[in-house]
Amino acid sequence: MHVVKPLLLFIFYLLSIVVSAQHIEMLHSGTGISLRGLSVVNDKVVWASGSNGTIGRSVDSGKTWKWMQVKGFEKTDFRDIEAFDAATAVIMGIAEPAYILKTNNGGNTWKVVLEDKRKGMFLDAMEFWNEQSGIVIGDPLAGKIFIARTFDGGDTWQGLPEQNYPVARPGEAMFAASGTNIRALSKKEACFVTGGTVSRLFIRNKTIDLPLIQGRETTGANAIAVYNNKKRKPAKYMVVVGGDFAADSIAAQNCAVSKDGGNTWTNPVTPPKGYRSCVEFVAKKKLVSCGTTGVDVSEDGGMNWKFISKEGFHVCRKAKNGKTVFLAGKDGRVAKLVW
């Protein structure tokens, strides 16, 4: 009896570790749609967007979903979405023509708020500081990165003056992989990352080379996460992920961490397990990252990553007003991170 009791306690302890370990809880799959846009308003309201003009919305923490196809945009790939509540959202259609649409009635109807038919136009990601002020970036046109702003909740958009567009190097662009290669840096500023022949961080008029794999059109940074971007001063803690999506099992130079606002970077001791298209802060030292080969988490600020799922996802986002983290990916997959 003296032996059995400690043994039972030890077994119970092991089981509690297994139960509490980070894992992925699948909520939806099997539609054949590729989902790359994801916006989590709070712990209950979640929006997703993807291929074939598809939009999804849940108001019960992902338990049930309303799936819709935007009329007239059945062939459009909506790779980013920003939602403000259960009724209001803005979606981004990537290319030729590039579109931004907005709904105020839960997706029942959509209004075109930006249309650009220029050859080569390709939108990559949106970011909003608040419900009124937002920004969208697109691949270079004539060597200059496209940027447009909105100050009325996405109802109208204005491109920057031509002379203020950032200059790209030959073969440099962004990836429309998860809508997270641009992030708010403070209440007024944003930063974004590029890939391709070179991979850089852009902050105002400053550019910083990133220590990620680069040199080919499939390489470089895909996403950046910024911690504590609600303060007036620009945030200092940043993590970027990427790699080579044409060789997605390779982990070399697929992640970097900065603690000084992007001026200097360090590669992790234990990197994520392969190419990653998205990274998100869950708390100051806790992060989640996902890609085509699976999901990783870090509990030390991105210096060491633990592989928790081989299920591939394109995007992971934490609730703007809450704690829940959702993921979305190919074949209509939507899941929740249990930490």
Side-chain angles (χ1 to χ4, degrees):
M1 291 295 291
H2 293 291
V3 177
V4 172
K5 187 174 181 180
L7 180 61
L8 289 174
L9 288 173
F10 180 68
I11 292 172
F12 177 79
Y13 171 72
L14 290 177
L15 288 173
S16 68
I17 292 176
V18 172
V19 170
S20 63
Q22 303 94 338
H23 64 278
I24 299 300
E25 179 184 320
M26 193 68 70
L27 301 172
H28 182 273
S29 65
T31 63
I33 299 298
S34 175
L35 299 173
R36 291 185 181 272
L38 186 63
S39 186
V40 187
V41 177
N42 52 47
D43 292 331
K44 291 188 175 296
V45 179
V46 188
W47 292 70
S49 65
S51 58
N52 297 344
T54 302
I55 307 297
R57 187 191 64 157
S58 174
V59 294
D60 58 3
S61 303
K63 295 175 184 177
T64 61
W65 287 82
K66 176 184 177 181
W67 295 97
M68 58 202 94
Q69 194 174 43
V70 182
K71 187 176 181 180
F73 294 85
E74 292 82 2
K75 295 183 179 180
T76 301
D77 195 351
F78 291 115
R79 293 202 185 183
D80 200 4
I81 184 168
E82 184 78 25
F84 305 116
D85 50 46
T88 313
V90 179
I91 53 176
M92 182 196 80
I94 52 173
E96 295 190 32
Y99 288 106
I100 297 179
L101 289 77
K102 184 176 180 179
T103 182
N104 291 304
N105 56 15
N108 293 322
T109 59
W110 295 85
K111 177 184 177 182
V112 175
V113 292
L114 182 147
E115 180 181 18
D116 197 314
K117 297 182 177 180
R118 285 180 292 174
K119 184 174 178 59
M121 172 56 70
F122 191 103
L123 299 180
D124 294 286
M126 298 184 297
E127 174 74 332
F128 277 74
W129 285 268
N130 49 56
E131 293 190 10
Q132 296 299 313
S133 183
I135 187 170
V136 64
I137 56 172
D139 281 355
L141 290 172
K144 293 186 176 181
I145 295 170
F146 175 78
I147 298 178
R149 291 291 311 274
T150 180
F151 300 95
D152 55 12
D155 289 329
T156 61
W157 295 79
Q158 302 84 36
L160 295 186
E162 189 72 26
Q163 66 271 19
N164 292 342
Y165 285 136
V167 177
R169 293 178 183 172
E172 182 181 23
M174 284 80 66
F175 297 108
S178 62
T180 55
N181 48 23
I182 185 167
R183 295 278 194 165
L185 191 59
S186 67
K187 287 188 174 181
K188 295 182 178 180
E189 293 183 88
C191 62
F192 66 91
V193 291
T194 63
T197 54
V198 295
S199 187
R200 297 190 289 171
L201 169 69
F202 286 70
I203 302 177
R204 297 179 296 280
N205 297 322
K206 181 171 64 174
T207 60
I208 300 166
D209 291 336
L210 295 171
L212 297 185
I213 186 172
Q214 50 199 281
R216 297 184 298 277
E217 64 179 13
T218 57
T219 59
N222 278 239
I224 180 169
V226 176
Y227 178 72
N228 198 16
N229 58 15
K230 294 183 179 180
K231 291 186 176 181
R232 292 184 182 277
K233 294 182 178 179
K236 297 295 184 181
Y237 211 135
M238 304 174 175
V239 178
V240 296
V241 297
D244 186 348
F245 65 78
D248 61 2
S249 63
I250 297 175
Q253 294 179 287
N254 67 346
C255 180
V257 178
S258 175
K259 297 180 181 180
D260 60 5
N263 291 308
T264 61
W265 293 85
T266 303
N267 293 114
V269 176
T270 309
K273 196 174 182 179
Y275 157 78
R276 294 293 177 257
S277 56
C278 192
V279 61
E280 183 87 330
F281 273 101
V282 179
K284 184 175 182 179
K285 292 289 185 178
K286 294 183 178 181
L287 296 108
V288 57
S289 185
C290 64
T292 49
T293 60
V295 181
D296 310 88
V297 295
S298 173
E299 296 187 84
D300 63 0
M303 292 308 298
N304 290 279
W305 294 84
K306 180 172 67 173
F307 187 63
I308 64 166
S309 175
K310 63 181 180 179
E311 203 74 64
F313 294 92
H314 295 312
V315 57
C316 51
R317 301 304 299 265
K318 178 179 178 289
K320 290 182 282 186
N321 298 296
K323 297 182 178 180
T324 311
V325 176
F326 290 87
L327 305 94
K330 68 177 183 179
D331 196 28
R333 291 178 190 158
V334 181
K336 181 169 63 175
L337 172 64
V338 179
W339 199 296

